[in-house]
Structure formats: structure tokens, C-alpha cells
Amino acid sequence: MAEGSARRPRVAFAMREGLRDTVFSATALERLAAVAEVEPGPVLTELESDAARKVLARSEILLTSWGAPLLDAGQLERAPHLRAVVHAAGSVKHHLTPDVWTRGVVVTSAADVNAVPVAEYTLATILLAGKGILAAAAAYRADPEGIHVTDWPTIGNYAKRVGVIGASRIGRLVCDLLRPFGFEVVIADPYLDDGGACALGARLVTLEELFATSDIVTLHAPDLPETRHLVNAERLAAMKDGATFINTARGALVDHDALTRELRSGRVNAVLDVTTPEPLPADSALLALPNALVTPHVAGSLGTELFRLGDAAVEEVERLAAGAPPLRPVTLEDLARQA
Ligand SMILES: NC(=O)c1ccc[n+]([C@@H]2O[C@H](COP(=O)([O-])OP(=O)(O)OC[C@H]3O[C@@H](n4cnc5c(N)ncnc54)[C@H](O)[C@@H]3O)[C@@H](O)[C@H]2O)c1
């Protein structure tokens, strides 16, 4: 797999039982077979059995996805030919230890590609939130004859401010998707500077300014020790009356007791794709409040969108087989601040 040389690497799948054929279309599998020697046996769901060890011992590329078995120093000892792990999903933190990078194994992830449906979900939510659809639908249901649209002068998607937390892969894509609309975009991220924000069509602000001035706040930071309860009581209390908070990131970033209190006051709205706990108990107030809309962690790739991950992973194998550098490498340095 040296640069410029073309050869057929030996590839094995490692992921949750039954996942391979929902992530890799028949066309993707054909493309893969055209450039690689694909292990014919079952997908690796563990690396301890004799059969799995034999496959690992001859594999040059592992194609992983959700539920892949952990690859640590011990497993790497038994994988002398392994050159790359190509992950057909988002985060690699759950199945790769730093030993993988120390050993010089190339790691690539489809997290950029998984960002697409999350950013689409977010854009759709921002536009519908701007039109006040939760309140409008509730008012209509309560009294179909009593609607006076002139009673809602602050409704609409013109001259509103969207606050994006995190210039992450998803946060950046959200900024891109927002460009054609009439929003002002502000962004908060400790790793971003004014020039970087400007390149995203946004203005860099503090979290305090973002919460206090945005009509819509959308959360896209990773779950790290320093982001736990980043959305706390104080910041929620600072939100404008009628503002909407969107969370497609992780529940751990939000103080849910504080959020529930703020929502109960009726002052703000929320659209939550992720929560703590997840799933919510059936009697959770968040599921019952009229100003909260909760979806069961569906923003990321699902259904047909899974094939986009498989296509991206096969593209990486094609590149590696051709001796080209991967399109979406993950470095150990990046990982410390990534999802
Ligand atoms: N709902 C879903 O189905 C779904 C799917 C995919 C990802 N996610 C979640 O979406 C979030 C974003 O994912 P991603 O892959 O775009 O993340 P990412 O790995 O690209 O994020 C890394 C970036 O976040 C920014 N960041 C780091 N610390 C920050 C902080 N303290 N404050 C603000 N920004 C900070 C930095 O710019 C960093 O480079 C994560 O929480 C992820 O778990 C959810």
C-alpha cells in the first residue's frame, strides 16, 4: 500500500452482527471486491475465537462500524499485517485504543459523512422552529377558529440569530447549510479564531453572548469532560423569551433538570434528539411538555443514509489499495478534542 503502488489488500469486516449489509450496498461490496481480497467468512463480532484470530492475523485492512470489537495492544500483537482501520461510522473512540496509532496503523472515519444527516436534521429544525410550528400547531389544535397570525409578530426566519456551539464537523456543515437563508450566525468554540468563524459565515462570540442573544441555539460540541453540563441553568436562564434550544450532540452536555425547569416555565422551546438518560423514561416531563419535541436519536445516519457511510469507507479502501492517502484520516492529536 505504498504511495503510487497498486495491490489488493486483504480486508475483513468487524462490526455488530447483521450490520454489514445495511451499511454496504451490493454495489459497494462489488467495488470493494474489485480492489481487495475480502475475507469470505462471517463478519468479526469478536477477536478472541480461533477463527477470528486467524482472520485478524492475515488482515491488512479492518473495515469497522458500530459495535466493532475493541482493538488494543494485545489484539494488535496478533495483527502483524494490519495497516489501516477504515471506520464506516462516526467516532472511533469506542473500539480503538491509542496503541493503534502508536503502531503506525492508518485510521480513517466516516464521521464527516455521518455529519450530513445530522446537519440536515438541524437545518430543518431551525427553519421550522423559526416559524414557531410547535406553538402554532398547539394553538391550532386547541382552537382552529381562533388563529390570528398577526398575533405572532416575532415569528419567521428573517433577521433571526442562530447560535452554533462548536465548529465541529457537524457545526461547520450547519453553518454551510445556513448560508442561503436570512440568518445572522454566531458561533462559540474555544478552538476557533475570528478568521475561522468568518470563513464559516459566522461571528465568533462567547458562550454567554451566544445564549443571551440567539433566537435559536444549536449544540454541536463533542462529549468531553470539559463539555459536561456546558448547557447549565445559568446559560439556559439567559436565553431570550421564545428562543429554541436544539440538541443533536449528546445528553451529557446538558443539565436536564435545569432544562426541564426552564421548559416548564414555558419561556423557551427545545428540540432534542439526544438526552440523559437515553431513552427517557415513559413518564419523563420532556416527552409531555408542549414546547419540547423529542426524537429518539435519529439525526445521524439511518436507513438509506447508512449506505453513504459504506460508500465512503469503500472509497477509502480504493484509495489505500491504489497507494493514495486517505481522504478522512483521524490522528491521535485530533482525537483529544473530537467526538
Ligand atoms: N444525534 C446523532 O445521531 C449524532 C450523530 C453524530 C454525531 N453526534 C454528536 O454531534 C456532536 C458533534 O459531532 P462531530 O463529529 O461534528 O464532532 P467533532 O469530533 O468534529 O468535534 C470536534 C470539534 O468540536 C469543537 N469543540 C471541542 N471542544 C469544544 C468546546 N468545549 N466547546 C465548543 N466546541 C468544542 C472543536 O472545534 C473540535 O475540533 C458530538 O457530540 C457527536 O457525538 C450526534
Side-chain angles (χ1 to χ4, degrees), residues 104-162:
V105 173
V106 170
V107 177
T108 87
S109 152
D112 281 4
V113 175
N114 196 35
V116 173
V118 186
E120 290 170 349
Y121 173 111
T122 305
L123 173 67
T125 302
I126 290 170
L127 293 173
L128 291 176
K131 287 296 269 185
I133 60 137
L134 278 180
Y140 198 22
R141 196 180 302 121
D143 181 9
E145 301 284 331
I147 299 296
H148 304 287
V149 286
T150 47
D151 290 347
W152 301 330
T154 57
I155 208 168
N157 285 315
Y158 180 62
K160 288 274 179 74
R161 181 178 287 191
V162 176

Side-chain angles (χ1 to χ4, degrees), residues 240-243 259-269 289-291:
K240 292 169 69 172
D241 287 353
L259 177 62
T260 306
R261 276 198 303 277
E262 204 61 49
L263 287 168
R264 275 205 173 105
S265 78
R267 214 179 58 73
V268 297
N269 310 295
L289 284 164
N291 50 340

Side-chain angles (χ1 to χ4, degrees), residues 24-44:
F24 294 87
S25 65
T27 311
L29 292 173
E30 277 170 27
R31 276 172 55 197
L32 191 62
V35 297
E37 296 298 329
V38 183
E39 280 293 339
V43 168
L44 301 176

Side-chain angles (χ1 to χ4, degrees), residues 219 223-224 227-231 245 247-261 263 271-287 294-297:
L219 183 58
D223 176 8
L224 303 172
T227 59
R228 190 173 179 274
H229 284 196
L230 177 150
V231 181
F245 170 66
N247 189 7
T248 60
R250 284 291 180 264
L253 281 77
V254 178
D255 178 343
H256 281 77
D257 291 339
L259 177 62
T260 306
R261 276 198 303 277
L263 287 168
V271 179
L272 311 171
D273 186 51
V274 289
T275 53
T276 299
E278 199 174 298
L280 289 169
D283 62 354
S284 166
L286 291 174
L287 292 173
V294 190
T295 54
H297 206 139

